[in-house]
Amino acid sequence: MKPREESLDAFIDTLPFIDTHSHAAGYEWGTPVDDRQGRSLPQILVHDYLAYVSSSCVDFSLTPPPPRSTWSPEDAPEQFRHILPLLETCRGLTLYQVLRDGIRELYPFEDEDITAENWEGIHRAILAAYQTHGERALHRLACRKAGIIRQTHMCFLPYVVDHWDALPEAERQAQRDLLMPSLILDGFLFSGFAANRAARERSLDLLGLRPATHADHLDFCRRALDLFIERGGVSAKLLAGYVRPLEMDEVSDRDAGAFYSTGPEKLHPSDLRRLQDNLLAHLLEMCRTRNLPLIVHAGYSVPTAWADPEHLHPLFCSQRLKGLKVDICHTGWPNHGAAMIMARTYRTCYFNLCGTSSFSGDLGLRLLSEALDMIPMNKILLGTDCGTPESLLGTARLIRRQLAHVLSAKLAAGQVGPVAARNIARALLHDNAAEFYGLRPSS
């Protein structure tokens, strides 16, 4: 008798997953060396996306009081009472679903949700786990449960120098075995959030440099990239779409030199943007010559036009950047159609669904299905895009369920056969990311 074939769902559940987008290993700077101080349930609930969306609630009292980083587990009862109204407004969100499901798997509880009646027991289990394992080990545990064997981590240069050097050797090696650091470039462009400026200043200290000219600054960028690669970095990340349009103009080194000599912080915004355009062109060329793929935050911004993937066409038409691999992340949503067309048009352009699954379960299903209809399977990437072990685990489970659901539907419709469905699943969860990052088969 012919053995019963393993179901597609079961097959997908066993596939190794290379997570192409995450912040869960200590965000941009890293975790404290002593990472067993403990976290509370309220901290976990608002550490990730729920804090981000809380400001849109009608009642501003629902916004978690800053700074959340100073919250103490001892204050958990007051903290939970404060955020409970926020939870009530967000229980229908996919973002909350994956976080709750990840909490349930790591710290089992039987009730259907986290409530005023059961929160304290869940809180005690979370606090004990963080105090026993530490943040880094708990993150690695969540990755193992999720079948994640490698993970792209967005960080600053000090992450792979100050943070990793401070860790005990065994702990540092465990992090390196899992993480694939991606260097946030925005600080080198005098752009982005306050943390980007702090990272640039610390990077200057690490390299012992104080650029006085445009040429000096470019030398700083080269040395920073080289040190990042030497310390294990594998890609670069551009966040500019959050704060300005991704559209870039060609600006001569002569003009950029004049802008730089004025002082980047003193420039009019229009002149600063031109300096940024010049510096970014140089940085991307440096990435190309060093075989560093580029991850571009696209789509999700206010206004969304700033991060429209359409702005990225010049990257694929430039002779200076020929061969630079570009990951258009978050599907470019709500301008995902443009991102799909680019991925099927340009060999070095990839369509990444990271974050989309947890933005909206229905959106994730639809865009995954459309991507498989439109884009060759080797051009599609997946990632969790989470900041905590709990949301990471819940999101990874959701990604696998969505992939099984979409492929089963296409299998039932006769669009693909069983072999093709399994090959697609393996490509999206593992093989495409391995090719994008140039990983050896054993990685």
Side-chain angles (χ1 to χ4, degrees), residues 198-221:
R200 181 180 69 247
E201 292 302 310
R202 178 56 189 151
S203 298
L204 287 166
D205 291 340
L206 288 171
L207 292 164
L209 298 174
R210 279 293 175 263
T213 66
H214 174 256
D216 289 345
H217 189 83
L218 293 181
D219 183 56
F220 160 53
C221 293

Side-chain angles (χ1 to χ4, degrees), residues 262-407:
T262 299
E265 286 82 5
K266 299 177 183 177
L267 289 173
H268 185 275
S270 62
D271 291 337
L272 175 60
R273 179 172 167 179
R274 295 185 68 201
L275 174 60
Q276 291 169 348
D277 289 351
N278 172 275
L279 293 176
L280 180 58
H282 281 287
L283 273 164
L284 296 187
E285 190 171 17
M286 294 175 199
C287 289
R288 182 192 64 80
T289 59
R290 289 162 175 76
N291 293 317
L292 282 180
L294 176 69
I295 300 169
V296 182
H297 174 88
Y300 199 94
S301 65
V302 180
T304 57
W306 281 0
D308 190 333
E310 291 279 7
H311 295 315
L312 300 176
H313 281 287
L315 269 64
F316 305 103
C317 301
S318 169
Q319 287 301 308
R320 291 175 62 182
L321 302 179
K322 189 173 183 179
L324 175 68
K325 293 178 181 177
V326 179
D327 165 350
I328 298 180
C329 58
H330 316 310
T331 69
W333 178 80
N335 303 304
H336 47 280
M340 288 185 186
I341 291 172
M342 293 169 71
R344 67 177 287 171
T345 301
Y346 301 120
R347 174 63 190 92
T348 56
C349 179
Y350 293 72
F351 183 80
N352 197 328
L353 285 126
C354 63
T356 311
S357 297
S358 53
F359 285 164
S360 160
D362 287 344
L363 179 69
L365 285 170
R366 179 169 65 83
L367 294 193
L368 174 58
S369 181
E370 289 184 11
L372 289 173
D373 286 345
M374 181 180 291
I375 306 170
M377 71 175 185
N378 65 321
K379 304 298 292 299
I380 303 171
L381 301 171
L382 297 173
T384 58
D385 191 20
C386 294
T388 68
E390 296 80 9
S391 56
L392 180 153
L393 179 54
T395 300
R397 298 292 192 212
L398 177 63
I399 288 171
R400 289 183 189 268
R401 289 198 304 271
Q402 290 183 337
L403 184 57
H405 180 91
V406 169
L407 287 175

Side-chain angles (χ1 to χ4, degrees), residues 23 40 66 148 181 204 218 246 347 388 410:
H23 308 268
S40 67
I148 294 171
L204 287 166
L218 293 181
L246 286 174
R347 174 63 190 92
T388 68
K410 294 187 183 301

